[in-house]
């Protein structure tokens, strides 16, 4: 199995207890509070009419958040986890468990280890995490889910039929199309943190920063370690914003000023990007047993934008 390199541009342990592993209970998500908002965000209480969300609003299981264009909402859960919900997203969480649901849009999740297994569901995939950081994006009109790992914390992606499983390392991104895991890529963590609006102000890549948030301090330590451990991704060709990462109705995002050297080469078809040798040298598939080894020797760097 081969990897492709992705240069990412703008576009989630507490110590082990002395209790036996079987006796450890997951921390149930019972409530979240909206910590910050930008632009239009709608709170959709269960069995009530939607209304504009406000800072300090409580969100309980069954409620949903809906975001408009260029909108952002930050939630803090009762277990200390943090979620940032990007534009044009629909997000909710379930009662009596740790299941989050993303029907469209992008979410960044920072989860302190030791809280239990958290699952993020989209219409065609599930991402499971036992602490630390990931982002997940679902593009409903393309039936595509993208999951990216920001830490080495055994983040696992499972397809819709539960026939494929892929564990991600920090800086790896899995693509699920129409319920099947179709591709695995490497992306540049350093560039992601420097340019993504989702992580702005969280200091997830700063080597020298005073920890003011004890609950997220270990997540921060793991993201910093992942950036330091990743080798620089290089290559001769860069493809900007391939189609699998964006909605068919979305305009091309604006490139940062330091990205003028990137080739503005895009693909207008998800099928073309995954299957057409003109864009990807050869198609590769992730096997259901996830047993095949991988190599980066024949990879192409690709630049994508994730808002």
């Amino acid at each position: 199995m081969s990897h492709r390199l992705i240069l990412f541009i703008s576009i989630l342990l507490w110590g082990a207890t002395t209790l036996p592993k079987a006796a450890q209970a997951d921390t149930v998500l019972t409530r979240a509070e909206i910590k910050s908002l930008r632009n239009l965000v709608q709170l959709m209480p269960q069995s009530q009419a939607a209304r504009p969300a406000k800072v300090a609003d409580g969100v309980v299981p069954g409620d949903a958040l809906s975001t408009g264009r260029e909108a952002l909402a930050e939630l803090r859960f009762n277990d200390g986890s943090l979620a940032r919900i990007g534009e044009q997203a629909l997000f909710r969480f379930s009662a009596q468990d740790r299941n989050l649901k993303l029907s469209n849009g992008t979410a960044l999740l920072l989860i302190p280890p030791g809280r239990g297994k958290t699952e993020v569901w989209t219409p065609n995939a599930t991402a499971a995490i036992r602490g630390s950081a990931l982002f997940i994006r679902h593009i409903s009109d393309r039936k595509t889910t993208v999951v990216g790992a920001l830490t080495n914390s055994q983040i696992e992606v499972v397809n819709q039929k539960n026939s494929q499983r892929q564990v991600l390392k920090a800086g790896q991104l899995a693509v699920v199309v129409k319920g099947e895991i179709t591709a695995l890529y490497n992306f540049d963590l350093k560039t992601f943190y420097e340019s993504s609006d989702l992580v702005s102000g969280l200091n997830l890549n700063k080597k020298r920063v005073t920890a003011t948030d004890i609950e997220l301090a270990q997540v921060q330590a793991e993201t910093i370690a992942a950036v330091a451990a990743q080798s620089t991704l290089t290559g001769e060709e860069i493809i900007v914003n391939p189609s699998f990462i964006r909605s068919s109705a979305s305009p091309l995002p604006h490139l940062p000023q330091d990205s003028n050297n990137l080739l503005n080469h895009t693909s207008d078809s998800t099928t073309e990007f995954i299957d057409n040798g003109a864009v990807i040298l050869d198609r590769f598939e992730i096997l259901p047993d996830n047993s095949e080894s991988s190599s980066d020797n024949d990879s192409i760097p690709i630049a994508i934008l994730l808002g």
Side-chain angles (χ1 to χ4, degrees):
M1 185 189 302
S2 63
H3 286 186
R4 310 299 191 274
L5 299 181
I6 296 184
L7 178 61
F8 223 115
I9 298 175
S10 180
I11 323 218
L12 244 182
L13 285 170
W14 276 7
T17 70
T18 58
L19 294 176
K21 185 174 181 180
Q24 296 179 19
D26 292 354
T27 303
V28 176
L29 298 179
T30 60
R31 177 181 172 83
E33 181 178 318
I34 298 176
K35 291 297 185 179
S36 64
L37 294 169
R38 185 181 68 203
N39 296 334
L40 179 62
V41 178
Q42 292 279 325
L43 176 60
M44 304 163 66
Q46 191 172 23
S47 303
Q48 297 182 37
R51 63 171 177 79
K54 304 186 299 295
V55 172
D57 271 345
V59 183
V60 298
D63 294 351
L65 277 184
S66 175
T67 59
R69 281 192 176 276
E70 299 184 4
L72 185 72
E74 182 173 298
L75 298 175
R76 196 67 185 265
F77 289 89
N78 59 285
D79 71 338
S81 295
L82 180 146
R84 279 190 173 176
I85 314 303
E87 67 174 355
Q88 296 182 300
L90 181 61
F91 177 86
R92 71 180 73 226
F93 66 103
S94 304
Q96 304 305 316
D97 55 28
R98 297 185 58 82
N99 295 335
L100 311 176
K101 297 182 180 180
L102 182 69
S103 300
N104 195 61
T106 308
L108 169 78
L109 299 173
L110 306 180
I111 303 173
R115 303 316 198 247
K117 182 180 179 180
T118 303
E119 292 190 345
V120 190
W121 298 349
T122 74
N124 68 354
T126 301
I129 180 173
R130 286 191 176 275
S132 258
L134 63 77
F135 64 81
I136 183 166
R137 180 181 183 93
H138 183 71
I139 306 102
S140 58
D141 60 2
R142 292 191 179 276
K143 298 181 179 179
T144 297
T145 296
V146 179
V147 182
L150 302 178
T151 53
N152 290 304
S153 48
Q154 296 295 303
I155 295 166
E156 184 178 52
V157 181
V158 183
N159 71 328
Q160 189 173 29
K161 297 179 181 179
N162 202 32
S163 60
Q164 294 173 296
R165 295 176 178 270
Q166 179 65 42
V167 176
L168 301 181
K169 299 177 182 178
Q172 287 188 335
L173 178 151
V175 182
V176 185
V177 181
K178 297 180 180 178
E180 297 294 328
I181 302 175
T182 58
L184 177 68
Y185 302 88
N186 290 327
F187 67 93
D188 189 80
L189 290 166
K190 182 175 181 292
T191 309
F192 171 71
Y193 287 124
E194 290 176 348
S195 53
S196 174
D197 196 34
L198 282 175
V199 296
S200 177
L202 293 176
N203 295 320
L204 297 180
N205 64 331
K206 305 297 184 183
K207 293 183 179 179
R208 295 181 179 86
V209 62
T210 301
T212 57
D213 191 324
I214 302 302
E215 291 177 310
L216 293 181
Q218 190 161 358
V219 176
Q220 185 185 60
E222 292 186 17
T223 57
I224 293 170
V227 174
Q230 187 181 49
S231 301
T232 302
L233 306 184
T234 60
E236 296 178 356
E237 181 183 1
I238 294 175
I239 301 172
V240 176
N241 194 29
S243 63
F244 75 77
I245 204 71
R246 57 188 170 90
S247 165
S248 58
S250 298
L252 289 177
H254 175 69
L255 283 173
Q257 291 183 356
D258 60 356
S259 302
N260 293 331
N261 61 324
L262 303 184
L263 302 178
N264 190 13
H265 180 192
T266 65
S267 168
D268 292 328
S269 164
T270 302
T271 302
E272 177 186 351
F273 182 83
I274 293 171
D275 292 332
N276 191 324
V279 179
I280 296 299
L281 287 180
D282 58 342
R283 176 177 177 171
F284 81 100
E285 297 179 352
I286 298 173
L287 301 180
D289 62 5
N290 191 26
S291 61
E292 189 173 338
S293 62
S294 61
S295 171
D296 294 332
N297 294 333
D298 60 349
S299 55
I300 301 176
I302 299 170
I304 60 179
L305 304 177
L306 179 57

